[in-house]
Amino acid sequence: MEELIRFGERFFDELEIAIYRTRGVSASIELNEISMASVKSRAITIIRGIKEKRLGLAIIDSEEPERIKEAIETAAKMARLNSRDEKWDSLPEPGKYREPVKPNKELKEASPDQLVEMVVRGIKLAREKDPNAVVAGGEGGVTWEEKHIVNSHGVDVFQEGGMAYIFFELVGRKGGVVTPGIFDFDARRDLNLDVEGVVERVVRKVGWAYNVKASKNEEVPIILGPWAIAGLLSYALFPAFSGEKLVKETTPLAGKVGEAVASEVLTIYDDPFHELSIEPVIADGEGVPTRKNVLIEKGTFKGFVWDNYWAKVYGTESTGNGKRDLRSGGINIGFHNVVIENGKKSFEDMIGEIKHGYFVDGFQGAHSSNPDNGNFAVTANPAYLIEDGEVVGSSVFLIAGNVYELLKQASEVSKEVTVMPFMTAVTTPFIRFEDVKIAGK
């Protein structure tokens, strides 16, 4: 890599080379059957060079040195055509990295047969537990990634690791009732996926959904499940923590560091080193050391996250939150593993304390939320009616409001946590909110 950096310095003032090797293994489900099992491998090299504040980018599906040299020359041509970015300062300098977490090498060698066995076992178990349910979809998968980032300032960091996941989507048909698609999942850094637990949980929720209950306009306590929390907050809240939005004056959190923005029961941080993190990276996408960044502590907003570019524009330091976009080659501010701190009460006890309310497992429409002001409008589906401490059926309703107002209504977090590997990686408990306005459907 040093030779390639020296070659690139003939064309650029600064140069970064990032090589990604990925391997993905999966087994997919469609209507109680295995629809596909596959293995996909890929090597990507991304060149990012700067000449007189002009950026040049190139992406190739190769890690061959001669191809990389050609890509460097291509990026140099692009830089000459681009306008100067007067905000540009420099690529990052080397930092002090933590000792990396030892990767589980069995993930690197995972085979489709291993995943097919898990998925088939899950399908069979689901059908045994509920003959009226169809395993409409789902997947078991393993991803492995190796990444090597070097730049002309001396950054040289190699990381490797992987994760495994499994999810099942069931649709129940019973007594004229057809349930919505209902999910459950597991994700971790080894192949010991909890197939039985996933099936048990999803079958239980399908059983609740057979008893359809009407909803009405009212204010009620609701418990949001991990899928609902991750979906809503990934769109309505998390982008507002970006330092880029602070610079551009598009975040509602500007000027609110140290102020209460949520209930005291909520503590939220980004921590790649959390014990359940599925991506325990020691460096971000441009080689800056990662760290735990507290976002909200007991309801109080603690600060923004930054990549190298926007930190230098603002006059602060990167928090190690530069995330590489493998499609464009660029760096965006993002998260490694958002953790919502758990509590001491069980999910079952939280349900047991509600006289009349709902447990919401998922939201539809969260992607249309506006992070610039926190407004959202979503459909709670599936949602489950709770009466006298017991789930008695399923329902659908609308919730429209502001995420910051909702966060202040949080009153309890469960001791159980779930790792959500999709969208932004989120490790979250169940959360109870008080006096939530819902619109019946």
Side-chain angles (χ1 to χ4, degrees):
M1 292 287 275
E2 183 177 351
E3 178 188 347
L4 293 170
I5 290 290
R6 301 288 84 82
F7 175 82
E9 287 180 327
R10 293 161 49 186
F11 304 91
F12 292 107
D13 301 326
E14 301 177 278
L15 179 68
E16 175 187 82
I17 302 173
I19 297 177
Y20 293 81
R21 305 178 193 95
T22 60
R23 181 177 186 266
V25 185
S26 63
S28 302
I29 306 167
E30 187 173 348
L31 299 178
N32 294 333
E33 302 287 345
I34 302 295
S35 61
M36 182 177 66
S38 66
V39 179
K40 298 178 181 178
S41 299
R42 188 183 184 190
I44 302 172
T45 300
I46 299 172
I47 307 298
R48 188 167 61 141
I50 296 89
K51 178 69 173 180
E52 297 175 351
K53 293 185 179 287
R54 291 179 169 89
L55 172 66
L57 275 171
I59 306 174
I60 56 172
D61 288 319
S62 174
E63 56 179 318
E64 295 297 324
E66 291 307 311
R67 292 284 311 281
I68 294 175
K69 288 181 178 180
E70 292 173 4
I72 290 171
E73 293 179 347
T74 299
K77 293 176 183 177
M78 175 183 172
R80 287 195 293 271
L81 296 172
N82 283 341
S83 301
R84 287 170 59 91
D85 180 357
E86 298 300 341
K87 295 187 182 72
W88 178 264
D89 186 291
S90 67
L91 290 170
E93 300 288 334
K96 184 177 181 180
Y97 303 102
R98 288 181 54 148
E99 189 70 24
V101 175
K102 185 177 180 181
N104 190 327
K105 290 296 182 75
E106 72 171 348
L107 296 171
K108 185 176 182 178
E109 306 299 331
S111 71
D113 290 345
Q114 291 172 287
L115 296 168
V116 167
E117 185 277 327
M118 291 185 200
V119 167
V120 169
R121 177 156 46 97
I123 293 172
K124 181 180 178 182
L125 186 59
R127 297 288 287 157
E128 289 174 353
K129 287 182 172 292
D130 187 348
N132 296 301
V134 173
V135 185
E139 186 172 272
V142 172
T143 61
W144 179 267
E145 184 177 65
E146 299 172 359
K147 44 194 171 188
H148 192 183
I149 302 167
V150 299
N151 74 22
S152 54
H153 295 309
V155 167
D156 188 342
V157 59
F158 175 81
Q159 302 177 87
E160 61 179 347
M163 60 158 287
Y165 64 89
I166 195 163
F167 73 93
F168 296 99
E169 178 192 9
L170 269 61
V171 174
R173 294 181 173 89
K174 182 179 178 181
V177 173
V178 179
T179 74
I182 296 174
F183 295 83
D184 217 294
F185 42 85
D186 187 29
R188 54 186 69 195
R189 295 199 307 266
D190 58 52
L191 282 169
N192 300 317
L193 293 165
D194 185 14
V195 176
E196 288 74 17
V198 172
V199 171
E200 182 177 344
R201 292 190 297 271
V202 72
V203 167
R204 182 190 190 197
K205 289 185 286 189
V206 170
W208 290 339
Y210 287 134
N211 190 13
V212 178
K213 299 287 188 177
S215 59
K216 62 182 180 180
N217 297 349
E218 57 181 333
E219 291 187 10
V220 290
I222 64 170
I223 299 172
L224 295 188
W227 189 278
I229 293 165
L232 180 61
L233 300 191
S234 291
Y235 292 107
L237 177 66
F238 297 159
F241 295 124
S242 165
E244 177 183 358
K245 284 185 169 290
L246 177 63
V247 174
K248 293 180 176 179
E249 300 180 346
T250 58
T251 172
L253 292 173
K256 293 188 177 180
V257 173
E259 294 185 12
V261 296
S263 162
E264 291 184 357
V265 305
L266 293 178
T267 293
I268 305 174
Y269 47 86
D270 182 37
D271 184 9
F273 312 114
H274 187 273
E275 61 181 355
L276 297 179
S277 172
I278 55 176
E279 191 183 9
V281 292
I282 61 170
D284 70 2
E286 45 195 347
V288 175
T290 54
R291 67 193 196 194
K292 177 180 177 180
N293 292 299
V294 179
L295 305 169
I296 294 174
E297 184 175 29
K298 294 182 178 179
T300 300
F301 175 48
K302 304 301 288 186
F304 296 91
V305 293
W306 302 89
D307 64 0
N308 173 70
Y309 177 87
W310 288 106
K312 287 177 176 175
V313 169
Y314 192 69
T316 187
E317 65 177 17
S318 171
T319 57
N321 286 88
K323 299 283 285 187
R324 178 84 61 180
D325 185 336
L326 297 185
R327 296 167 297 180
S328 69
I331 295 289
N332 300 305
I333 296 175
F335 300 94
H336 305 292
N337 178 53
V338 176
V339 178
I340 302 176
E341 210 163 76
N342 62 325
K344 297 180 179 180
K345 190 166 292 185
S346 72
F347 173 54
E348 296 297 331
D349 286 345
M350 288 170 66
I351 289 178
E353 292 177 351
I354 293 179
K355 182 165 182 63
H356 171 71
Y358 290 91
F359 159 49
V360 178
D361 197 37
F363 283 135
Q364 297 170 354
H367 64 281
S368 63
S369 303
N370 187 347
D372 293 347
N373 56 27
N375 290 339
F376 66 89
V378 292
T379 300
N381 186 25
Y384 303 97
L385 176 63
I386 303 169
E387 296 283 8
D388 297 322
E390 294 185 2
V391 177
V392 297
S394 67
S395 192
V396 178
F397 51 82
L398 304 177
I399 303 177
N402 183 275
V403 72
Y404 300 99
E405 294 175 5
L406 181 66
L407 292 178
K408 289 180 178 179
Q409 294 168 260
S411 61
E412 191 85 54
V413 292
S414 72
K415 65 180 180 182
E416 300 94 341
V417 294
T418 301
V419 178
M420 281 292 310
F422 312 111
M423 303 173 290
T424 301
V426 182
T427 301
T428 178
F430 298 84
I431 305 176
R432 174 172 170 167
F433 299 86
E434 303 298 334
D435 302 321
V436 178
K437 292 181 180 180
I438 68 171
K441 289 190 70 175

